[in-house]
Amino acid sequence: MAAIWSSKHKTDKWLQVELLACEGWAREGVIPQEAIEKIRKAEYNAQRMQEIEQETHHDVISFLRSIQEQLGPEGRFIHLGMTSSDVLDTGLAAQLKEAGAILTAGLATLTDTIAKRAVEHKYTLITGRSHGIHAEPMTFGLKLALWVDELRRHQTRLAAAIEQVTVGKISGPVGTHASIPPQIEEYVCEQMGLGVAPISNQVVQRDRHAHFMTTLALVGSSLEKMAQEIRHLQRTELSEAFEPFGSGQQGSSAMPHKRNPELCERICGLARLLRGYAVTAMENVALWHERDISHSSTERIIIPDACTLLDYTLHIFNNVMSGLQVDAERMLANLNMTGGLVFSQRILLALIDKGVGRQEAYKMVQRNAKKVWAMTSEGAIKGAALVDALNQDPEVASYLNPTELAELTNTDYYTKYIDTSFKRIGLA
């Protein structure tokens, strides 16, 4: 990714655009055969470009002059009928195509990694949480399968965004093709493996780039969500899952016991940067008339950075997920730590099934749940405290006997349709 966004590669793409445009002119009979033979060997001089730019303050002019100085008379055909953005935007599209291929591969790799972990933990029980509070039993695999489905949506979004942004334009100063015919534009783009912007002004319209950048930001936001979940699960109070931690790694300069989720924290921070870049890309959509240069300075920063950051983030999170340490026993212990409160809805439904009104049944279960919550101040709750309390409640006992209440805490009830969810997203 760094190579794609290097100054040399960018300028190489400019040269490719210019030489292909000359080829197009030669096909039209405008550039003589003997001239095109010499032009095909044209090169730019990076050092000379820098020297010229000190004078001109224009990177494309400096690039063109460094070529023309070496070519001699044939140099007059370089950039014939073109404007700077013909080169800049078409070259940028080529870079984005290459960067997009790397991001596509990285996203696919991460999706496959998480899919494998999801299948591995398909039936690993864990407490489902809402508002950060214990809700009902679920499985860790289901949590990961949800991520797989989300990442697959991102694969579709990214493919569409890449298709939208990888178009070139060789249409002249205001997009009329008056100085360079459409067939040359079509030839250049075809040879570079790019689509053709069907209509343009001086630039490829920046809604395309904003679409691409917001897609990268959206992928980053999902990665942040996933990394944040690992951070929560690694908290001391939970200790259910841990990002990889090397044998010689140190978590704190002051406290030797610390094992911090620094990789996931890093991902969360970088996602914020990606979202900021997306805002800038959307600001770049509105340019004056047929074009101004307000987008140019920002794009030199945000596009290479966003591609590089997302590539890096995908790589880091793939390492986290492939090396994730899952403590299934601790997950089960945490599931049981509230004395069976996680089974409250099932008990509520059982009372309703016995003919009790919903509000009456809710109050029965809730008053006993409050008794169990009160026990937490005395330390970890032992045993099936909620069932014990319900058995001692005469009103509840008149509807549900001890055997029935005990059966309502069977966790198989919560996993009976897990396989259906997995099948829906094609996970064996």
Side-chain angles (χ1 to χ4, degrees):
M1 185 65 80
I4 288 170
W5 296 110
S6 68
S7 178
K8 181 181 184 304
H9 192 66
K10 176 183 72 173
T11 317
D12 286 345
K13 289 300 175 186
W14 292 0
L15 181 61
Q16 185 182 9
V17 173
E18 293 286 1
L19 296 185
L20 285 171
C22 288
E23 293 277 3
W25 278 119
R27 285 160 58 94
E28 298 297 312
V30 174
I31 298 180
Q33 189 61 36
E34 59 274 14
I36 196 66
E37 292 295 335
K38 187 173 181 181
I39 289 170
R40 288 188 182 118
K41 301 174 183 177
E43 295 181 350
Y44 64 88
N45 185 304
Q47 182 176 347
R48 180 61 180 142
M49 281 177 60
Q50 293 177 1
E51 294 170 356
I52 299 170
E53 192 169 353
Q54 294 297 314
E55 171 193 345
T56 63
H57 301 284
H58 195 295
D59 52 0
V60 175
I61 290 175
S62 304
F63 161 72
L64 294 171
R65 280 179 55 181
S66 79
I67 298 172
Q68 290 160 349
E69 287 176 353
Q70 297 178 54
L71 271 179
E74 290 80 4
R76 71 188 187 277
F77 295 117
I78 299 293
H79 206 64
L80 186 63
M82 298 168 67
T83 190
S84 295
S85 291
D86 289 332
V87 182
L88 295 172
D89 282 3
T90 306
L92 176 60
Q95 288 177 282
L96 283 165
K97 182 173 183 177
E98 294 171 345
I102 292 177
L103 294 176
T104 298
L107 186 55
T109 297
L110 175 60
T111 305
D112 289 345
T113 296
I114 297 179
K116 291 174 184 175
R117 300 309 302 267
V119 172
E120 177 187 352
H121 292 286
K122 186 176 183 178
Y123 293 111
T124 300
L125 286 170
I126 188 173
T127 306
R129 298 172 172 92
S130 56
H131 304 274
I133 308 299
H134 281 206
E136 289 190 343
M138 60 179 294
T139 73
F140 187 54
L142 185 65
K143 188 189 294 282
L144 298 184
L146 183 77
W147 296 359
V148 171
D149 192 40
E150 185 167 348
L151 291 173
R152 286 176 177 171
R153 290 195 297 276
H154 285 314
Q155 288 178 304
T156 301
R157 293 184 184 110
L158 182 59
I162 292 170
E163 182 181 6
Q164 285 286 314
V165 82
T166 54
V167 297
K169 60 86 60 180
I170 311 287
S171 58
V174 292
T176 63
H177 288 100
S179 56
I180 187 164
Q183 58 266 33
I184 292 181
E185 177 181 61
E186 293 164 2
Y187 174 77
V188 172
C189 291
E190 180 184 9
Q191 293 301 306
M192 296 186 73
L194 302 173
V196 178
I199 185 170
S200 58
N201 46 32
Q202 193 173 108
V203 294
V204 170
Q205 301 306 287
R206 259 44 197 179
D207 65 287
R208 296 176 181 270
H209 303 78
H211 178 201
F212 179 77
M213 294 290 287
T214 52
T215 299
L216 301 197
L218 189 55
V219 176
S221 293
S222 289
L223 295 180
E224 179 184 17
K225 177 187 80 173
M226 297 166 193
Q228 183 171 262
E229 179 69 13
I230 301 301
R231 290 170 60 192
H232 278 305
L233 296 179
Q234 189 164 329
R235 287 187 298 121
T236 306
E237 292 80 1
L238 274 67
S239 296
E240 294 179 353
F242 303 84
E243 67 176 41
F245 194 83
S247 59
Q249 190 172 340
Q250 296 176 312
S252 166
S253 63
M255 297 167 283
H257 74 279
K258 295 279 281 182
R259 179 177 178 176
N260 302 326
E262 59 94 7
L263 294 175
C264 288
E265 289 173 337
R266 194 184 310 172
I267 290 167
C268 292
L270 294 179
R272 299 168 191 170
L273 199 55
L274 285 171
R275 287 193 291 274
Y277 288 162
V279 171
T280 304
M282 287 187 283
E283 297 285 350
N284 286 343
V285 174
L287 304 178
W288 284 20
H289 301 296
E290 276 58 61
R291 180 243 187 173
D292 63 53
I293 203 172
S294 59
H295 66 292
S296 177
S297 56
T298 64
E299 285 182 353
R300 293 166 194 250
I301 299 169
I302 65 172
I303 294 178
D305 271 18
C307 291
T308 305
L309 285 175
L310 184 58
D311 180 37
Y312 174 71
T313 304
L314 289 166
H315 174 75
I316 290 293
F317 197 54
N318 187 64
N319 287 344
V320 168
M321 292 308 300
S322 61
L324 189 71
Q325 297 176 16
V326 178
D327 191 335
E329 292 184 2
R330 181 60 182 260
M331 287 178 176
L332 186 59
N334 287 344
L335 176 65
N336 295 323
M337 70 182 294
T338 58
L341 290 180
V342 292
F343 305 112
S344 68
Q345 184 195 203
R346 192 178 180 199
I347 295 167
L348 167 69
L349 295 176
L351 286 168
I352 292 172
D353 191 52
K354 293 285 187 177
V356 182
R358 184 178 181 85
Q359 288 305 310
E360 291 75 18
Y362 193 101
K363 290 177 181 178
M364 289 183 199
V365 179
Q366 187 182 46
R367 68 174 175 248
N368 287 283
K370 287 180 178 179
K371 294 177 184 178
V372 176
W373 274 122
M375 297 167 62
T376 59
S377 61
E378 301 173 4
I381 301 173
K382 304 293 185 182
L386 179 60
V387 168
D388 292 342
L390 290 167
N391 279 324
Q392 296 172 30
D393 187 314
E395 191 174 11
V396 174
S398 67
Y399 292 100
L400 296 171
N401 62 47
T403 301
E404 289 174 315
L405 280 170
E407 176 57 30
L408 293 175
T409 65
N410 187 333
T411 55
D412 290 345
Y413 172 84
Y414 300 93
T415 61
K416 59 187 175 183
Y417 294 120
I418 295 294
D419 194 52
T420 299
S421 296
F422 271 67
K423 286 180 179 178
R424 282 178 174 178
I425 63 172
L427 289 184

